Structure formats: structure tokens, C-alpha cells
Amino acid sequence: MKYIPIKDCKNISLNHHALIEASAGTGKTYTIENLVTRFLMERDDLSVENILLVTYTEKATCELKIRIRENLEKLIYENLENKKKTQKLKAALDAFDTSSIYTIHGFCNTVLSDFAFESRTLFKRELINDHSLFEQMLKEQMRKDWANVFGDDFNDILTLSGFNEKRENFLSMIVNIAARVYKPNVGDILLPDFENQDFYSLKSNLIKKLIEIKDILSCEPLFSQCYEKLNINSRTKKSLKEKIVTPLEGFFQKMEDTKVDFTSLSELIDQIKSAKTSDIKGIDTLIPVKWLKKGNNITVCPNLEKIVEKVKTLINLYTNLVYFLCIWSIKKLVKDTAFKKTENGWISYDDMLLNVDLALNSANSTTLLTKLRQKYKVAFVDEFQDTDPIQWRIFKKIFLEQPSGKDQNLLFLIGDPKQAIYSFRGADIFVYLDAKKEMEFLSENKKANLYTLAENWRSTPDLVEIFNKLFICDLWFGNETSDVFSINYKDVMSPGEKNLLESIKEDNSLRPALNIIDLRDCDSLSAAKPYLAKFITDEIIHIIHKSKIKIAKKDSEDSKIRDINYGDICVLVRGKPDIKALEPEFIQKNIPYSFYKKPGLFISLEAEYLNILFCAIADPEDMSNVKKALLTPFFNCTTGDLYKFDTLSVFHPIKKILFLWNRYAEEKKISTLFKSIMEESGIIFRDSGSIGWERTVTNYNQLLEFLEIEAYSGNLDFN
């Protein structure tokens, strides 16, 4: 299937659905914001509220809002001579607060709130934490149901499930699957499926199978004696007898007719599963594949194949019993929790998606679908690789499954399938591939276009080239000749070093674009982590102090070329635990750093200072709050200055800046306010040379960034 490489988003059609595959650094957000403004300028039937943008995080929604607003302002200035365009753009800017830019949960919550009658949901619902409720309901289930339902088998089912050995892990698994994974309303099935069988009947079947195997093993000559006569490699034979044959006979010799020692049975099955010869595992290893020169003499062990098949069946029955309590509890927990939520008018974030999906696919969905299609003429789904099956069902239903003869709503899917490997929030690469297949089908019927953003504006040409060579290998993402389950990597181009927003002008680091670290000498992962941490910090020191790397912005003068600094370096880790080895190395080698999402940010001194300042900004005539704020680092004041404050003129810089900030707050110009706080207070310059200042500034920036996202996404103010 042909994908059209795009260097200029003006070449993207506004008349068809589209799938846009965008690798990192190829201008995905830039493309989205410009497509939105193109729709507003080129389609007279569209206003800003008719365009839906859904992205992954609150931070991303905030960024989109800011960038689209700024783009509208820029276009108004550029089109002053065109009154018609200017009028349309100004109308869009004036109505920008009605724009539909959401996370997926924000969009679904809006649908349920704005169309409560059509979606048959409550007008008022209380948002709850799913995980906490599921934990509470599981405890109630354990107390009320387990012993009553399983009766005399209660101890056996606890033993089989592993509850007695790993209680916390077992309960945590039930809650996580019930709360985050298992969605029966959209067709999820838990395996093994017991087909309405109860534990007692499954246990009875297992006991019958044990008796059958015992009867066979009790026949003369013994199974082990027969197996010894097989013409197979003596070492293989000895190993299999030790791992399977002898333990098997030993277990059944001790077994009483109807009483089962499930602990011993579990140990036996684990022992059997651990056996391996060539590519064969488990009980199947007993049946010879290679014979000695004497040839095949399987007749000397007449019950071999029968025993193997019966042991296979036994293992399957045992596995069903092992998972019975877990699966039974999950199904009941999901059902009971859903009833509890309905009874109390509660809703969680995941419920928002499920409720919208149910409403769109119910027998009475026509009115809701009609109203959504009338409101949202165009939809952009950003970071589509992070979409789960329910989200895809929602967008597919609204925008692609329209009755023939109706006005065409448009759906733009934008994402990077390579990033789906991270499986954020249940994201599923097969969902992406299903959507891709749908778009390719529409493309064949001239209803959709397939694009790739062709140029990486973030990386050096050398890095782009080496990753093209690396990722084109079938072992990574496959290519256009690979099977339907491959992502199919497509080469990305570089616009050239001189066209990048920032480029490397000089580099004496003696390091190529891609470096691979060999950790094979480390005995374990725990041993590798400190070694890797030391290597990383040594490389950072080398890059900063020895590499003589110089960086320049596009078209900058030689006088503005700067040396590389610590702020240009980013260390990506798989998870927070990997930070533990790095932080001591950073501290020991005096490397300034910021830890994104570090715990404790909201109980830091910087958070306390901002809280005090915001109280003063909210009411600059409240002298108590104002004087507290004067003693924060945002003002260069001493306690002695507090006595003079009342006598200061209203035109004094401190009073002027406080009232200016108050005006920004009242007008909800949050971005402008936060920028002014950091710059016009002088805080980022006053103590810039002090120890730990980089950490302090980072804390302020992270706090203000979070608050800005919350303010814009929730339309919040200072009251």
C-alpha cells in the first residue's frame, strides 16, 4: 500500500480521511495545528467547535491549545489585507474557549455530560478511583463469598491458586485484571473458560484422571522398567527418568484413591514442565524422536503414548483448577463493582470510555450519533498508537460507520506505531494495525489517504541515517513485504544540518551518532546497573568538558554559537527504579540534573512559596497575604521592608507587579502570568550562581507547567 511522503502539510487533503504516520521529530504537532487552521480558513461550514482534537495527556492538550491559539494570532496578522479570512480567523480566536481539545477521557466525559439524555447516563455522577473500589469490593467478596461458595473445597482451592504462598501478589493480580484489563462488555474473554463448570466438578474430573493414570502405572512390568529398554541415548534416557519417570511413579505410588496432595501434585507438574530435549518440552520429551542404530522399539514400552496423553490432560485439568479462584473472583468482582457504581451514581475514568462505547452501540444510539456527527465534523486523534480497542471502536463508530448519503465527517489518525511497544494505558499494537487496515481499505476506495511525515527536524542527519539502517531490518519492525502484523518501517529523511532549528557546528567528542554499550561481562542485571550508571556519567563529563561540541541556532551569527551544556543532555530510563543507580553518580560527580516526575515535588519549598504568592495575587489588597509573599524568593525583601510597605506609592514596582499579576489571573491569562512570575520577579537571575539553583528552577518550572495544564484543561481560576 502506497504512503505519500509529506514535507509540507499543505499537501494533505482536507476532503478525505487520513492516516498520518509520524516518527519522532517529524513535526506531528506542527502538522496538526496547521491542518486545524487550514480547515478553519478553507472550509466555510466549519467553526472552531466543529473540530475535535483528542490526544494522550493533559500536557499535550495544553500544548495544542497554546500552539493553535498562537497560530491563529499569527495568521490574523499575516492576512490583514484579506478581510474575509481575517474575519473568519478572528471569529475562531474569539470562540477558542469553546474549542474541543481533550484527552480521550475528557472527550468521553464531555459526551456523557453534554448528551446525558441521549447516552442514557446520569446528569450528575461522582468521579471515583477504580482501583480503590475494586480493592474494597474484593475484601468484601473474600469475607462473604469464598468460604460459602467453595465449602469443603475451600482449603484445596486456596492451595491450588497459590493464595497461601503469595497472598498479596494474588490479590493484586485480581484487582489489576478486573480494574484495568478485563472488559467483558466489549468481548473480552478470560481463559481458561470453564463453560459454567463449578470447582467441585473440575476437581472430580481431575481425580478421575489421576486414578486412570495410577491404574496404568500399576500394571506389570512397571513403566520405568519398560522405559529403560528403549533404544535411545543413554544420557537422555537417564535425564528423563530422573526428571519425569521416577517422580511420576513415586507420586502415584503414594497417592490414595480419592485423596490428592495438591502440593505434591504441583511439584510433580512443575518438574515435568521443566524437562527439555532439543526443541521439545515437558511430557512430550518422553516420546523418542531419535533412535539408536538398533532402531525403533517403542513396543517394549506399550503404555508410553497413552501415559503421555493422559498426563497432558491431567496438566490441563490442573491448570484449570489453579486459575479457577482467580477467574471466578475477577468475573464476580467486575459484576459486583459495576452494580455498586450504578447504585451510587459513581463513575471512573475507564467507565467513561465504556459508557460511551455502550451508548454508541446500543439499539437507541441513532440520536446520540446524529448529534455527535453534527457537532464534530472533523476529528484528529493524536498519539493513535496509544489507543486501546474501546477507544478505536468509539472513533470508528462516530466517524467511519456513517449511513450512505449523509455528509462525510472526517477522521485523521496521527501516530507512530513504533512507539506502541510501550503499551501505555493498555495500548495495543494490534488495534493500530486494525485501524491501519481499515484506512488502507478506505484508501483503495478513494475515501482516505495514507501519509508519512518525511523529515526529522530534531536529529542530526547521521543519527537519522543510522536509525534508518537499523530499523529497516525485519527483526525490528518489518517492511512492506512483511506479514500483516508488521509495523512496516519507512525511511525518514533529514532536511540537512543547516536547516535544523539547532545544529552541531563543531564536535571533537570522537563519538559516532549511535553507540552501543556491551554489558555481557556483568553477571546479572543488578550488577549491570551501577556499571551502566558510571559509564553514563563519565560520558556526560566527557561530552561537556572534553568534546568541544558547539551548537548554533538556524541562521545564527558566529558570535551566537554556544558550547554544549548539561541542559542539552537527556537520560531516558525504562522506569523510576533505574534512577536509583544514576542519582548517586550524578551527585558524586557534581552533575546538575532534574528528575522529571520526582516524588515530593508538591511538598517542596518551591510549592509552598508558590502557594503563598498565589494567595497574594488572588487579593493584592490583603496585607497579611501580601507581606507573607514579600518574604518568598520572588521578592528581594527583608523583614525590615515589611514595615515600609504600607507607605509605598501605588506606583512602586512591587505593588505594580502584584496588581498586574492579579489582572492576568482574573483574565485567565495563566501562561502570561506564570511567565511573568519567573521573569519579571527576577527569581531566575537573582541567585543563579548558588548551589542547587538548577534543581530549584526546575522545580518551579515543573510546578507551573503542571498548574498551567490543570488551569487550561479545567477552565480554572484563582478563586
Side-chain angles (χ1 to χ4, degrees), residues 49 52 97-102 105-125 356 367-368 371-372 375-376:
E49 65 178 7
L52 171 66
D97 287 340
T98 66
S99 61
S100 303
I101 305 176
Y102 304 108
H105 293 101
F107 168 64
C108 288
N109 191 41
T110 299
V111 171
L112 296 173
S113 300
D114 293 354
F115 304 98
F117 182 78
E118 293 82 359
S119 60
R120 301 196 173 195
T121 57
L122 296 174
F123 285 94
K124 288 188 177 180
R125 295 148 295 135
V356 170
T367 303
L368 176 60
K371 290 192 174 183
L372 288 173
K375 181 172 183 179
Y376 302 119

Side-chain angles (χ1 to χ4, degrees), residues 544-610:
I544 296 298
H545 298 293
K546 299 177 182 178
S547 66
K548 298 180 181 179
I549 294 176
K550 296 188 179 295
I551 298 174
K553 289 188 176 181
K554 184 180 178 182
D555 301 327
S556 62
E557 301 172 2
D558 289 344
S559 59
K560 294 183 179 180
I561 295 176
R562 64 177 180 84
D563 293 330
I564 194 170
N565 58 53
Y566 288 110
D568 296 311
I569 297 174
C570 176
V571 180
L572 297 178
V573 295
R574 182 175 180 84
K576 290 180 182 178
D578 295 326
I579 296 291
K580 293 179 181 178
L582 278 167
E583 279 197 294
E585 289 289 332
F586 281 133
I587 294 169
Q588 181 182 350
K589 293 173 183 173
N590 295 317
I591 297 174
Y593 69 96
S594 62
F595 180 4
Y596 184 60
K597 290 187 176 179
K598 183 164 185 168
L601 181 62
F602 293 95
I603 58 172
S604 63
L605 273 175
E606 290 79 19
E608 182 65 26
Y609 291 147
L610 282 172

Side-chain angles (χ1 to χ4, degrees), residues 24 44 147 199 205 250 278 324 432 455 499 554 562 585 669 687:
D44 292 334
F199 182 80
N205 291 337
S278 301
F324 190 92
Y432 184 93
E455 293 183 312
N499 293 315
K554 184 180 178 182
R562 64 177 180 84
E585 289 289 332
K669 295 181 177 179
D687 299 316

